[in-house]
Amino acid sequence: MATVSNGDDDGNKLTVVVLGPGTAAAAAVSAGTKPPPPSARHVQWLRAAVLGASDGLVSTAALMLGVGAARRPGGDADADDLRGVLLAGLAGLVAGACSMAIGEYVSVHAQLDVELAELKRADEESAAAAGDGDGGAPLDRAEGLSRPGQAAAASAVSFAAGAAVPLLAAWFVTTGYGARVAVVVATATATLAVFGWLGAVLGRAPGGRAGLRAVVGGLVAMGVTYGLMKLCRVHGV
């Protein structure tokens, strides 16, 4: 390990520490600032989970409302209509969770490749600075690196949790099509408000406006899907 210190007349001090292979970082620079809190990574994970749940809720609720809007003209809320809506919601839950997991795995794995390349380059630079010249030790460090499998599982679970909200709401309502739509919309709206507020709070932003934006965005998505599917049914598409 090599340490170089440099000071000026004002008492400011810059310390550069070059660490050898086998450590979690190649260099650390201290200029009087504190490192980020240890919980920052956990907050980011929680915020991403909330956003994934919101995505699952909006997409599944909009899908269910769209399928319900395209039901046969004059159809009552019988077992066939309810079964079709529930199957559409379940298919949206499974497909969305799988899509989120695959997309997150590919994205985070690309980030992991970059991190490993940076660690290898840091090992080579530290070895050269020490006069070793052997290209550095093999990489065996996992602390602080991205975990594609964990990220994919978290995305799938959060999406499925959000998608389950409108699905369960529709499951327990069998009194009529209008009542089912009202319950799904009301449940999705209330849950979106909570998700939007929680995501903003975790990101240290005002929660009220974020909750309102989440509700408005979700209602727009559900309304557009419902309207287009209703229009398709009217014109016999």
Side-chain angles (χ1 to χ4, degrees):
M1 179 181 69
T3 304
V4 180
S5 299
N6 187 17
D8 54 19
D9 296 337
D10 297 330
N12 296 324
K13 186 176 181 180
L14 175 66
T15 302
V16 178
V17 181
V18 180
L19 304 175
T23 59
V29 179
S30 174
T33 59
K34 294 182 179 180
S39 60
R41 175 180 287 269
H42 296 87
V43 171
Q44 292 176 358
W45 274 92
L46 289 174
R47 191 166 183 266
V50 170
L51 294 177
S54 299
D55 188 11
L57 189 153
V58 172
S59 59
T60 303
L63 177 62
M64 294 172 63
L65 293 178
V67 171
R71 76 193 195 286
R72 62 184 180 274
D76 297 327
D78 56 10
D80 291 336
D81 289 333
L82 178 59
R83 187 181 300 111
V85 171
L86 293 178
L87 286 176
L90 182 60
L93 186 154
V94 175
C98 291
S99 177
M100 289 286 290
I102 293 172
E104 191 72 7
Y105 182 85
V106 172
S107 176
V108 176
H109 209 294
Q111 180 180 344
L112 176 61
D113 292 340
V114 173
E115 294 173 354
L116 291 175
E118 291 179 349
L119 286 176
K120 182 178 180 180
R121 183 165 51 252
D123 281 344
E124 293 174 350
E125 293 176 354
S126 63
D132 191 355
D134 61 354
L139 292 174
D140 57 355
R141 303 187 295 273
E143 183 67 24
L145 294 179
S146 299
R147 295 177 174 84
Q150 188 181 57
S155 296
V157 170
S158 63
F159 185 96
V165 173
L167 190 60
L168 292 176
W171 180 276
F172 291 106
V173 178
T174 59
T175 56
Y177 173 73
R180 186 161 61 248
V181 169
V183 169
V184 169
V185 172
T187 304
T189 300
T191 309
L192 281 174
V194 175
F195 283 167
W197 173 84
L198 183 58
V201 169
L202 290 174
R204 298 182 180 180
R209 293 182 180 179
L212 180 61
R213 285 194 297 266
V215 169
V216 172
L219 290 177
V220 169
M222 289 184 284
V224 170
T225 305
Y226 182 89
L228 288 178
M229 295 303 295
K230 195 80 169 180
L231 184 64
C232 290
R233 181 183 66 80
V234 170
H235 290 279
V237 177

